Amino acid sequence: QVQLVESGGGLVQPGGSLRLSCVATGYDYSSGCGGWIRQAPGKDREGVASIDSDGSTSYADSVKGRFVLSEDNAKTTLYLQMNSLKPEDTAMYYCAADSRWPVGGPFLYLAVPNFGNWGQGTQVTVS
């Protein structure tokens, strides 16, 4: 059974940094796409960053140059390094993964529950 567990969220001042982690059990991120989706109250979901099965990464325009998505050598953990945080980055951040798609295109439009696997989310508050 696949399980994704996020951690690393918290309260940070504008301009600060956080690093989110998503540990997968029963899943290998080289099996398909993986990444992060954020959801803030009253706002549409936003695919923040995704990684393809070959390791290629993509980012939302709103975070390019500030966020970096990476994975560990075992390809069981995703990291989202978030720098120069802004109040508008405040949201619940969900890790998601799906072996059906090798490329992270679905992160642009799919809601979290439509992925094959997702975590419980970690709250990021920038204030």
Side-chain angles (χ1 to χ4, degrees):
Q1 183 176 355
V2 176
Q3 187 176 20
L4 304 181
V5 178
E6 303 103 328
S7 63
L11 173 64
V12 64
Q13 293 182 343
S17 299
L18 284 174
R19 188 175 83 153
L20 306 184
S21 299
C22 180
V23 178
T25 55
Y27 187 81
D28 180 338
Y29 285 109
S30 65
S31 300
C33 64
W36 295 87
I37 297 168
R38 65 186 180 186
Q39 181 77 59
K43 295 185 178 180
D44 291 337
R45 46 82 67 211
E46 181 180 23
V48 175
S50 65
I51 186 165
D52 300 344
S53 58
D54 67 355
S56 301
T57 54
S58 299
Y59 299 92
D61 288 343
S62 59
V63 305
K64 279 181 181 176
R66 300 188 298 124
F67 290 12
V68 178
L69 176 61
S70 62
E71 60 186 355
D72 68 345
N73 289 336
K75 299 188 182 298
T76 58
T77 302
L78 292 183
Y79 301 102
L80 185 67
Q81 178 67 43
M82 306 187 295
N83 301 320
S84 302
L85 283 162
K86 305 175 181 180
E88 50 264 44
D89 294 318
T90 296
M92 184 70 81
Y93 284 69
Y94 296 91
C95 175
D98 202 309
S99 59
R100 291 176 291 177
W101 309 298
V103 179
F107 280 86
L108 295 174
Y109 56 86
L110 269 188
V112 169
N114 290 319
F115 282 85
N117 309 286
W118 68 92
Q120 80 288 353
T122 185
Q123 178 68 39
V124 172
T125 302
V126 185
S127 178

